[in-house]
Amino acid sequence: MIMIFLGPPGSGKGTQAKRLVGERGWPQLSTGDMLRSAISNGTSLGLEAKSFMDKGQLVPDSVVIGLISERIESGDCQSGFMLDGFPRTIPQAEALDKMLLEQGRKVERVVLFDVKDNELVRRLSGRRTCLKCGSMYHVEFTRPSRDGICDKCGEMLVQRDDDKTAVISKRLEVYHQQTAPLVGYYRKQGKLRELDASVQPDTVYESLIKALS
Ligand code: AP5
């Protein structure tokens, strides 16, 4: 199955996708993770992306479409995958439909993670991430056993540059202007399932499994 996790920054798309990778083995294709990896590898694509990400703006469509079109051709994506953070604009969604059609495939399910803006600010400003293994924590909700240290690999936890308050507001504005129109795009195609993602992660996971079945 080809699934899209759609929703504002901080709505829990990555948290739930990582759990599904662990429990179901479906590949998670996160454009945010791909871009951060390009930044830490110091590639020219990473350098270009960083200038947009640090300001809370979207990276140009051509860049992320190129990343995804290459990735979905990999062997591990042949029987399905989860898209986390892509598409984020109507041109990205149209490009995805076109590239899948050329391969005789299509998006089957789009899950919208619904959370109010004030809760998103709380989640993003408190998020701490392990740069080594990608595990996520929160200073209030999911604290590591030792402050600032990843439980899984012992690495130091950091706050993402775009999780600073001023950038969070810009990311939310960009979501409402450029990404929210995708809700109508996929609703018209009859693929959209909405879930209340403001509740506990385990409850969100149960709703997600139902939405995908
Ligand atoms: P990206 O990395 O995709 O960030 P995002 O969409 O802004 O998503 P987040 O990772 O911030 O949130 P999430 O929904 O995954 O929530 P999470 O599970 O982490 O993109 C970063 C940037 O890259 C963009 O701004 C843009 O510049 C660029 N980019 C990426 N893709 C692009 C594209 N397609 N086109 C153009 N540019 C692109 O959870 C957040 C926090 O909440 C965590 O601390 C977590 O522990 C906690 N939490 C999760 N669930 C719950 C819950 N149910 N209850 C309480 N706390 C919870």
Side-chain angles (χ1 to χ4, degrees):
M1 191 197 271
I2 297 176
M3 301 155 263
I4 294 176
F5 292 177
L6 179 65
S11 55
K13 306 178 297 293
T15 301
Q16 299 298 334
K18 282 183 174 56
R19 185 162 171 183
L20 281 169
V21 173
E23 295 187 10
R24 307 279 167 123
W26 298 331
Q28 171 200 9
L29 277 50
S30 157
T31 37
D33 287 349
M34 291 178 197
L35 293 167
R36 278 184 290 278
S37 155
I39 292 172
S40 62
N41 291 332
T43 65
S44 54
L45 186 149
L47 273 180
E48 185 192 354
K50 189 171 175 5
S51 63
F52 293 95
M53 292 166 79
D54 284 352
K55 287 186 264 185
Q57 295 168 349
L58 294 184
V59 172
D61 287 340
S62 56
V63 174
V64 285
I65 291 168
L67 282 176
I68 286 293
S69 68
E70 208 174 290
R71 182 67 183 86
I72 64 175
E73 283 175 14
S74 317
D76 66 330
C77 289
Q78 295 317 303
S79 53
F81 50 85
M82 299 174 273
L83 285 165
D84 162 16
F86 182 93
R88 262 171 143 105
T89 62
I90 297 282
Q92 288 180 24
E94 291 171 344
L96 176 68
D97 283 347
K98 187 164 172 274
M99 66 179 97
L100 289 174
L101 188 68
E102 281 164 6
Q103 300 173 2
R105 306 200 281 174
K106 62 177 171 33
V107 171
E108 272 144 293
R109 197 56 52 85
V110 180
V111 182
L112 175 64
F113 286 64
D114 190 21
V115 182
K116 299 271 175 294
D117 280 10
N118 55 352
E119 171 65 10
L120 295 170
V121 173
R122 199 168 157 218
R123 285 188 188 182
L124 292 170
S125 54
R127 172 166 59 184
R128 297 294 179 269
T129 312
C130 173
L131 279 182
K132 190 172 172 198
C133 74
S135 297
M136 266 178 305
Y137 299 85
H138 191 279
V139 293
E140 285 174 72
F141 315 128
T142 40
R143 297 170 63 98
S145 21
R146 282 182 299 156
D147 268 355
I149 305 290
C150 179
D151 288 343
K152 292 194 186 132
C153 70
E155 193 63 40
M156 253 175 52
L157 302 177
V158 296
Q159 183 176 35
R160 265 170 49 177
D161 286 341
D162 60 350
D163 280 347
K164 309 270 161 67
T165 318
V167 188
I168 292 172
S169 318
K170 181 66 188 171
R171 287 163 69 200
L172 291 176
E173 186 190 317
V174 165
Y175 173 79
H176 291 298
Q177 283 174 357
Q178 299 187 52
T179 308
L182 292 176
V183 173
Y185 180 88
Y186 287 116
R187 188 176 280 136
K188 260 192 224 148
Q189 295 185 8
K191 294 177 178 168
L192 193 79
R193 300 286 181 278
E194 296 181 50
L195 58 86
D196 177 5
S198 63
V199 292
Q200 287 299 310
D202 285 349
T203 314
V204 176
Y205 186 73
E206 281 169 29
S207 311
L208 177 60
I209 294 296
K210 278 190 202 137
L212 294 176
S213 63

